[in-house]
Structures are given as structure tokens and as C-alpha cells.
Amino acid sequence: MAPFTLRDARFPDDFPAIARILSAAGPDWPVTAEVLAHEHEGRDPALYFTQVVAQQGGEVVGVGGLGHDSFSFEAWRYGGRVAVHPEFRRQGVGAALYGELLRRVRERGARELRTMLSDLPHDRPGVAFLTARGFRPVWDRYESSIHTADVDLGAFGGLWRDVAAGGIELRSLAELRGDPERDRRLHELDWLLFQDVPTGTALTRRPLDQWVRDELDDPGLRPELSFVALDPARADPLTGPYVGYSTIGWNPAGDYGYIGMTGVLREYRGRGLARALKVAAMRALHASGGGLIKTFNDAPNRAMLTMNEGLGFRRTATRTRYELRLDPQGVDSGA
């Protein structure tokens, strides 16, 4: 068993090695060095984040990162993950990375740690690792997927007629680039919609510039596949005519799309708009060559789960949030 050492990650030099490790440890969600660089460059400097790598014989074999969650911020709450390349496991690398990260956030007064793992086979060692350290499962999120080749996209003519008859227009984010208020309106709309998403945690509203960096400037976002529902008769001071939207991002390493947010304002629900937004994305993707789309819904969100099932999405995994409560005296407990 060769010795290993821990050190702070070096940016941007370590991005390729970190991407390789994260992709090997989580093959269902591979990442690229470019994606990691974007995340790093766009991270809110006011929020804490630390990343450590394990090096063995000059090769980076493991990585661990821990920091504040901009989506659900509390100064005492930290989220992240530890990943070790499968070829270098059972040598104490993961335990050492975890121990160092835990030491760092304990010094900052951390009271809670969060991470998320799936029920897929490659995550089973990680679940055992967390369980042995007192983490407890607290929240489930279901992953489902569909391939555009498996959908009869011509079967939605009635849906389109109903949407048009209601005076609603669907425009892609690419088509709306000319609206100088687009980003601000989407920021307001996103916040309103998330109030009704059962996430199991208190939400933090990100400032407009940070939200734009995270969401609209994400290199994975496919503006031509992401759609906004507009009511031209509506002139809301916050969202203007924007009444709903759905985004599609693209994982370049995995070559599949993923749905970010889909939602419609309360007063516009029951008209099939959320369904129409997703069908619009599938039609646009099919027209550009087709492909796989993944979506993620929290377990209590029965309305969206039922709608996705009706569109043909099929459950592929459950992703569980694990939490550990940290005691100031060093006696930790699960949530």
C-alpha cells in the first residue's frame, strides 16, 4: 500500500485530475475540467469553500470539497462530497480526506454536513462510508429519464391548440435574447416558482448577478431547448409577461440533457403549460438530432412526478440527501 499525502487543490492545474476522479466515482454524472473551472470561477467569494486532494506517487487519486450552499445558506451548514478513484480505494484515502475537511469546518463552527448519493451500485460504498460516520438519510429525490426517440411527439397537437387558445406563447431563451428585461424577469419568476417546490430545506435567494452566473451563463445551458411561457396580456412589474419556464442543460461528458427548472405561476396552472414547456424542449431536441433527457423531482412533488410519468419518463434512480449533525462537544449524530 503506497503512502499518500493531502494538499489543497490547485486551480486550474488540478481540474483535469479532479474531473477524472469524479467521473470514475460517479459514472452516471461525469464532469469535465471545463465544467469544474466554470463552477470555480462563478462561485460566490463571500461563501466558504475548501477543496483537498490526495496524491499518491505524484498522481491525484482522491478529492474532497466542502462549503456553504448558496441555494440554502446557513453559516453553520456545509455541503460537499468526497470521491476516491475506484482503483485506489480501501487505503484510507477517503477517511483522510473526510477527516481533514471535517477538521476545517469544525474550526468554523459547523453544525451540520450534507451530501447526496444515489441508490445505484457505484454509490453503495459511499453510502456505507456515510452510515459508518453517523450520517442519516433525510430526503429523497427521484431521477427519471426519457429518450426523444421513444416519444410520439406528434401526439400533442391538442395540447398545442389548448395553449394557443388560452393566449399563451412559448418562446425559447435564445429567441428572448433581445428582451433587455429577460434575465431580471426570469430571476424574479424563478424565485416565485421555487416557493412551491418541496425541497425539504429553507431556500436562499441569490442576487441577480450570481443567479445569472449560475443559471444563464452556465456553459451547459441549451437556450434553444429551454422555453418560456408568455402571456402578452400580462404586464406584471416583476415578471412582465413571463408566467412559466423550463430549462435544459447538457452534460457534455455524458452526452445527455437534464431539466433544471420547470414551473408555472399558480394562477396559470391547470392549463397544461408545464407539460407544453417540456414537450417543446423534446421537440426542439428531436429536431436537432434527438437524445436522452434526465429530470429530478423531490419525492413529495407528486404533481410533477405524475406529469413526467404521463410524458413517458421512467424512474432510473433515487438520490438521497444525507445529513450529519455536529455537536460542539464532538459527539455527532444523524439528522
Side-chain angles (χ1 to χ4, degrees):
M1 187 180 297
F4 62 87
T5 58
L6 303 185
R7 62 168 173 81
D8 287 333
R10 302 182 189 123
F11 308 119
D13 295 348
D14 284 332
F15 285 140
I18 293 173
R20 175 177 54 82
I21 292 165
L22 294 178
S23 298
D28 62 319
W29 196 269
V31 298
T32 64
E34 291 74 20
V35 167
L36 296 178
H38 173 78
E39 291 177 354
H40 176 73
E41 293 164 2
R43 189 170 285 116
D44 186 344
L47 301 183
Y48 177 80
F49 180 75
T50 186
Q51 195 162 42
V52 183
V53 300
Q55 191 165 303
Q56 187 179 81
E59 179 181 1
V60 175
V61 300
V63 60
L66 206 56
H68 284 136
D69 182 359
S70 63
F71 189 78
S72 180
F73 173 77
E74 292 288 355
W76 43 265
R77 176 188 295 138
Y78 296 83
R81 65 178 296 190
V82 168
V84 178
H85 194 284
E87 295 177 4
F88 295 91
R89 291 176 181 169
R90 299 186 180 278
Q91 300 183 36
V93 176
L97 288 166
Y98 173 77
E100 175 59 19
L101 293 174
L102 182 61
R103 180 191 66 78
R104 294 185 182 191
V105 296
R106 274 194 181 281
E107 290 179 349
R108 298 178 53 85
R111 303 207 313 262
E112 182 180 283
L113 302 184
R114 286 180 171 180
T115 192
M116 183 166 277
L117 288 176
S118 75
D119 60 354
L120 296 172
H122 64 260
D123 274 341
R124 288 172 188 161
V127 171
F129 183 94
L130 294 177
T131 303
R133 286 158 179 78
F135 282 80
R136 295 292 180 266
V138 298
W139 191 262
D140 285 338
R141 179 170 294 155
Y142 299 138
E143 174 188 313
S144 304
S145 66
I146 193 170
H147 198 287
T148 55
D150 299 328
V151 187
D152 180 7
L153 293 169
F156 297 99
L159 175 64
W160 293 112
R161 287 191 293 272
D162 291 344
V163 168
I168 303 299
E169 301 174 2
L170 301 185
R171 302 278 182 82
S172 73
L173 286 181
E175 293 174 311
L176 291 171
R177 282 198 182 102
D179 180 0
E181 294 293 304
R182 185 195 72 168
D183 295 0
R184 184 191 63 79
R185 287 170 171 170
L186 286 173
H187 177 240
E188 297 286 356
L189 180 62
D190 183 78
W191 179 245
L192 290 172
L193 296 179
F194 259 111
Q195 306 312 301
D196 293 334
V197 178
T199 60
T201 188
L203 301 179
T204 300
R205 188 176 191 188
R206 291 167 288 174
L208 174 60
D209 59 344
Q210 184 64 45
W211 183 86
V212 170
R213 280 197 298 270
D214 292 345
E215 306 297 335
L216 300 184
D217 291 344
D218 182 345
L221 179 69
R222 295 284 296 271
E224 76 282 9
L225 305 181
S226 304
F227 287 82
V228 180
L230 299 94
D231 181 354
R234 188 173 186 271
D236 186 87
L238 295 179
T239 63
Y242 295 18
V243 300
Y245 86 114
S246 181
T247 62
I248 293 282
W250 200 261
N251 185 317
D255 195 27
Y256 56 76
Y258 54 89
I259 297 175
M261 171 60 168
T262 299
V264 176
L265 291 174
R266 294 176 185 176
E267 60 267 36
Y268 286 84
R269 292 174 192 165
R271 306 187 192 183
L273 297 187
R275 185 181 176 90
L277 287 165
K278 291 195 174 185
V279 172
M282 287 191 282
R283 281 186 165 184
L285 177 57
H286 180 72
S288 66
L292 182 73
I293 302 175
K294 295 186 178 185
T295 190
F296 304 87
N297 301 110
D298 297 283
N301 197 348
R302 292 306 314 168
M304 191 60 73
L305 287 166
T306 299
M307 187 191 76
N308 287 336
E309 290 170 2
L311 287 171
F313 282 86
R314 294 294 175 261
R315 187 85 52 83
T316 51
T318 298
R319 298 182 180 274
T320 300
R321 186 168 73 231
Y322 291 84
E323 294 182 357
L324 176 69
R325 301 287 172 82
L326 300 175
D327 189 286
Q329 307 303 317
V331 180
D332 305 334
S333 63

